[in-house]
Amino acid sequence: MYLGLDLGTSGVKALLVDESQAVIASATGALQVSRLHPGWSEQEPDWWIAATRAALDGLKSDHAAALAAVRGIGLSGQMHGATALGADDRPLRPAILWNDTRSHRQAALLDANPRFRKITGNIVFPGFTAPKLAWMRDNEPALFERVRKVLLPKDYLRLWLTGTHCSEMSDAAGTAWLDVGNRRWSDTLLAATGLGVDHMPALVEGTERSGTLRAELAAEWGMGADVIVAGGAGDNAASACGMGAVRAGQAFVSLGTSGVLFAANARYLPNPEGAVHTFCHALPASWHQMGVILSATDSLNWLAGITGRTASDLTGELGEALQAPGSVSFLPYLSGERTPHNDAVIRGVFSGLGHESDRPALTRAVLEGVAFALRDSLEALEAAGTHLSRVTAIGGGSRSVYWLKAIATALGLPVDLPAEGDFGAAFGAARLGLIAAEGADPHAVCAPPPTAATVEPESRLRGAFDEAYARFRALYPAIRGTM
């Protein structure tokens, strides 16, 4: 058996698979987010441990024999979170999460240093780890002086599981401290934030072993000795391993809290000017690009809260027949935006509202706005030299047929839906645990799932979507600087 642990923003998922990669069982532990001020987003690292314990206790309760047979564990996690540890390996403060934008001034200052884009291949986004530590240096200097290690969220779980300070390439690439092309920490970039390599964990590839499960935890869950813990991956790279998007040209679109257009690459192809994320993949000698929008299903959930309806009620009200965009446009920038604007202070907008703008019209505008934001990402990836012929859809938003039709038509690409099954980040993490424990061929293990259905672009509406996209593109420069 092999275990995948995915530390998300809202919970920890534990997934058991067998040697044939059949899913045996899964369990979750819930998490909450603390938002003390606008733009802040924090979690206590001990909450991650408690949620992981809850998930594994659930597996042990119902599937003790399967859990006892685990030979390898893979880790996946929310990226960019700053977990600052003191000399005793205890957190000095709550972890500052990926969607926290308080450090936008520090990010701008670091990004103005040309070495960051040159070495990392990325803009220094406010959500990245380095500006968060710069914010600590500027606002919590006494705590900053006590920092001995900086870990990413899943790597704090690894410390608890194995006792080792270790990370892997895909997650480390989102810190703004990694030399992404050469897959190593950069002394130059660390020094720019008052840190050194000794503050960083050791690095392995996602398919390599990072340690073994501590004996007391193995005994607690009834596991044997020498359970291998793989390097694992950041959540998007782990999802790519689960979806089989590991070879050049393979791509997926993720409709979760945030939205991601992910493309695997065999070469390092940075495009920081387009606010494209260019990161190491979880597999050796491979990279990936991502266009990232901060509010995908979050936008629909926000509208659901405002209207007093559920998200599924709103999308269900539209039916499945795709309509031409109406007069209402929506910018899904509820928490700022990454690709292509790198703007932490911009906020969402409805435009073109009239007396006739009813609830379905607003729902359509929200779905279209997210689809057009993903088209922005596609164009930024193409500018970097990545050309896609199709994408696979994953995430909670992919349950809406209407939304998938809007995305396919906005992108001009077929959108594949995988066969029934769990192919997300936890599954990808379990695959990495299998590879590390057994020395298996990564490409053979990380095969794509069968395609259950394909949503084709609707050519009859492409012109209307192009016109609506042009209106969408004109809105951002019109409102920039007014927030």
Side-chain angles (χ1 to χ4, degrees):
M1 294 291 170
Y2 307 93
L3 176 66
L5 293 175
D6 176 39
L7 167 57
T9 310
S10 59
V12 173
K13 181 173 182 177
L15 184 78
L16 275 172
V17 304
D18 64 16
E19 67 277 6
S20 67
Q21 301 188 41
V23 175
I24 303 304
S26 67
T28 59
L31 287 169
Q32 59 185 357
V33 175
S34 174
R35 301 183 186 274
L36 296 179
H37 304 285
W40 286 35
S41 181
E42 298 182 338
Q43 285 177 333
E44 294 285 352
D46 285 346
W47 296 350
W48 304 335
I49 291 174
T52 303
R53 265 209 158 94
L56 286 170
D57 288 348
L59 285 180
K60 183 180 178 182
S61 175
D62 297 330
H63 302 276
L67 192 62
V70 166
R71 291 168 53 91
I73 299 174
L75 300 177
S76 163
Q78 47 167 297
M79 297 180 67
H80 315 307
T83 313
L85 307 184
D88 59 355
D89 276 343
R90 292 292 302 152
L92 296 171
R93 65 173 329 283
I96 306 175
L97 302 189
W98 61 275
N99 54 353
D100 187 295
T101 56
R102 77 184 75 177
S103 61
H104 59 89
R105 291 183 180 86
Q106 288 79 10
L109 288 172
L110 295 179
D111 192 53
N113 179 342
R115 291 176 294 182
F116 274 87
R117 293 194 185 190
K118 182 177 180 180
I119 295 172
T120 71
N122 291 278
I123 290 173
V124 182
F125 290 93
F128 282 12
T129 319
K132 296 181 173 77
L133 269 292
W135 182 91
M136 282 187 65
R137 180 195 60 201
D138 296 344
N139 294 274
E140 299 173 341
L143 282 183
F144 182 80
E145 288 299 318
R146 294 170 55 196
V147 173
R148 294 297 175 266
K149 288 289 181 185
V150 181
L151 297 183
L152 294 156
K154 81 172 193 319
D155 299 323
Y156 184 74
L157 270 188
R158 186 196 317 278
L159 175 62
W160 172 64
L161 291 169
T162 68
T164 60
H165 300 105
C166 190
S167 189
E168 47 70 43
M169 305 302 175
S170 70
D171 216 356
T175 62
W177 288 315
L178 193 76
D179 181 339
V180 174
N182 293 304
R183 304 170 90 90
R184 65 190 180 205
W185 295 120
S186 167
D187 294 291
T188 299
L189 302 184
L190 286 163
T193 47
L195 300 171
V197 173
D198 57 325
H199 290 96
M200 296 295 106
L203 288 172
V204 298
E205 295 290 349
T207 54
E208 296 176 341
R209 60 182 293 169
S210 66
T212 56
L213 185 63
R214 291 192 294 123
E216 55 266 42
L217 293 178
E220 180 177 336
W221 297 314
M223 297 182 189
D226 300 323
V227 175
I228 301 299
V229 178
D235 51 5
N236 288 301
S239 293
C241 292
M243 290 301 303
V246 295
R247 297 183 185 274
Q250 294 175 321
F252 68 83
V253 58
S254 174
L255 290 173
T257 301
S258 60
V260 173
L261 181 61
F262 180 109
N265 301 106
R267 295 182 295 138
Y268 173 55
L269 296 171
N271 179 21
E273 292 73 21
V276 171
H277 294 354
T278 303
F279 292 160
C280 303
H281 210 322
L283 276 62
S286 61
W287 287 261
H288 67 81
Q289 294 171 312
M290 293 189 297
V292 177
I293 64 175
L294 293 179
S295 299
T297 61
D298 244 11
S299 294
L300 184 61
N301 291 335
W302 167 80
L303 183 64
I306 293 296
T307 59
R309 300 295 183 98
T310 67
S312 59
D313 285 343
L314 293 178
T315 56
E317 200 169 32
L318 302 180
E320 294 189 358
L322 185 65
Q323 302 175 51
S327 62
V328 182
S329 298
F330 175 72
L331 298 187
Y333 305 154
L334 302 180
S335 300
E337 193 54 294
R338 288 199 189 170
T339 310
H341 304 305
N342 184 31
D343 192 334
V345 298
I346 196 69
R347 289 297 181 265
V349 165
F350 275 116
S351 173
L353 294 170
H355 289 293
E356 71 282 1
S357 302
D358 55 9
R359 186 173 61 235
L362 299 186
T363 302
R364 285 167 50 206
V366 167
L367 302 187
E368 291 158 6
V370 172
F372 292 145
L374 291 169
R375 179 166 171 179
D376 275 349
S377 291
L378 177 65
E379 296 196 355
L381 263 62
E382 289 179 339
T386 296
H387 302 289
L388 304 179
S389 59
R390 62 194 316 111
V391 295
T392 298
I394 63 172
S398 65
R399 290 191 290 268
S400 168
V401 174
Y402 191 97
W403 208 349
L404 293 179
K405 289 181 177 179
I407 290 169
T409 305
L411 299 183
L413 295 175
V415 176
D416 295 324
L417 286 172
E420 284 295 322
D422 194 332
F423 304 109
F427 182 69
R431 283 180 153 181
L432 293 170
L434 186 162
I435 293 165
E438 308 300 344
D441 175 13
H443 288 102
V445 171
C446 297
T451 296
T454 297
V455 177
E456 297 285 349
E458 299 205 8
S459 56
R460 65 183 178 86
L461 294 176
R462 184 59 193 257
F465 268 75
D466 285 345
E467 291 175 7
Y469 178 61
R471 294 197 301 272
F472 174 91
R473 290 282 294 175
L475 277 176
Y476 173 76
I479 67 170
R480 183 177 53 196
T482 65
M483 300 295 171

